[in-house]
Amino acid sequence: MYIFTIFGNGILIYIITRTSNIHTPMYFFLCNLAFLDTVFSTCTVPKVLVDLLLAEGRISYTGCMIQMCVGLFLGQTECLLLAVMACDRFVAICNPLRYAVIMSWRSCKYIMAVTWLLSCVSSILLILSKPVSFCRENKLNHVACEILAVVKLACGDTSYYENGIAFQSLFTILVPFSFIVVSYICILTSVLQIRSVEGRTKAFSTCASHLTVVIMFYGLSMTMYLKPSSNFSSKQKYISIFYGFLTPMLNPLIYSFRNDEVKKAVRRILFSSSKIK
């Protein structure tokens, strides 16, 4: 599974960087998503695999905090990045004449820098403001240091962490998701005004992959984090495993199989490499 994640996202990054005719904002954001999924999977899966091989899952307090903060950082970044990608599709379809001006390379780089920075600050703020301390049994009911499972072991009153998680979930999950929904309502309204069937199909096809990833990612995230953190259950643990392990592997497959430009780029690279041989 981990090998497929690294291979799939690595190939996607390679295709985008090597193919000059898809050096557009949409694929710049997709490249960021593929890189993010690679790191997200790397921060948890190798440790889990080692624990399974040794049949002894141990992690230090420092290691657990680092793994938790990195996972939060990357998860929140993906939430915001998917909203940015929806904004890109909204501008491209609803305001195509100004697309090059609004989504310039300078704007895209600035947007990504702000996205990564906001996620980084948000992920470490809760833990730095009040470090988690354990005074009960330190056996984690999870395969990785996931914040909901870690908070269950925290000493004393955990309402501070529960309120912090709830606030962060509103900011990094509900607000971006609402923005995506509004963007797609506007996109749908604009597409339905296109008279030609071919034009409608082309417009919808550019959004299909992104919409699939959004439904899968936000559906799992909301199931996980928009419930009271004190009610963390085994069901949420399995959802977390799917969300953290399978989603990064499925994303490049979804974008590859449902994206004509990516498929054309793959054929072009394979054809050019066969000609060299």
Side-chain angles (χ1 to χ4, degrees), residues 12-24:
L12 192 58
I13 292 169
Y14 176 78
I15 289 167
I16 292 170
T17 52
R18 280 291 304 270
T19 312
S20 57
N21 66 316
I22 59 172
H23 286 179
T24 60

Side-chain angles (χ1 to χ4, degrees), residues 68-226:
M68 184 181 73
C69 288
V70 170
L72 272 175
F73 164 52
L74 296 171
Q76 290 177 5
T77 304
E78 185 155 351
C79 285
L80 297 178
L81 179 55
L82 290 173
V84 169
M85 294 172 79
C87 176
D88 173 72
R89 291 299 82 212
F90 166 74
V91 177
I93 294 171
C94 299
N95 202 351
L97 296 179
R98 298 195 62 198
Y99 179 74
V101 176
I102 297 171
M103 302 303 292
S104 65
W105 280 113
R106 183 178 179 181
S107 299
C108 291
K109 290 174 184 177
Y110 179 76
I111 289 168
M112 280 314 306
V114 171
T115 299
W116 286 92
L117 184 62
L118 279 175
S119 301
C120 182
V121 172
S122 175
S123 62
I124 63 174
L125 194 61
L126 185 65
I127 304 303
L128 287 180
S129 61
K130 188 178 180 182
V132 181
S133 58
F134 305 109
C135 58
R136 295 195 291 270
E137 185 181 12
N138 58 351
K139 288 184 179 179
L140 198 66
N141 183 27
H142 210 295
V143 296
C145 289
E146 212 285 325
I147 190 167
L148 296 177
V150 171
V151 165
K152 292 274 284 186
L153 297 178
C155 187
D157 185 17
T158 59
S159 60
Y160 173 80
Y161 302 109
E162 290 170 14
N163 293 334
I165 292 168
F167 177 77
Q168 285 189 343
S169 298
L170 287 174
F171 171 68
T172 59
I173 298 176
L174 207 56
V175 172
F177 181 72
S178 301
F179 179 81
I180 291 170
V181 170
V182 172
S183 296
Y184 272 104
I185 290 171
C186 295
I187 288 170
L188 182 63
T189 304
S190 182
V191 169
L192 291 176
Q193 292 175 358
I194 300 173
R195 293 182 179 181
S196 67
V197 177
E198 186 181 349
R200 288 184 184 181
T201 305
K202 187 177 180 181
F204 277 127
S205 67
T206 62
C207 301
S209 301
H210 177 256
L211 199 54
T212 305
V213 171
V214 164
I215 292 169
M216 182 173 65
F217 182 83
Y218 276 97
L220 294 170
S221 299
M222 287 179 176
T223 306
M224 279 285 298
Y225 294 103
L226 293 184

Side-chain angles (χ1 to χ4, degrees), residues 10-23 261-277:
I11 288 293
L12 192 58
I13 292 169
Y14 176 78
I15 289 167
I16 292 170
T17 52
R18 280 291 304 270
T19 312
S20 57
N21 66 316
I22 59 172
H23 286 179
E261 291 295 331
V262 172
K263 286 189 280 189
K264 287 176 185 176
V266 170
R267 289 193 214 103
R268 201 177 296 115
I269 290 171
L270 291 174
F271 181 70
S272 61
S273 61
S274 64
K275 282 182 70 177
I276 292 170
K277 290 179 182 179

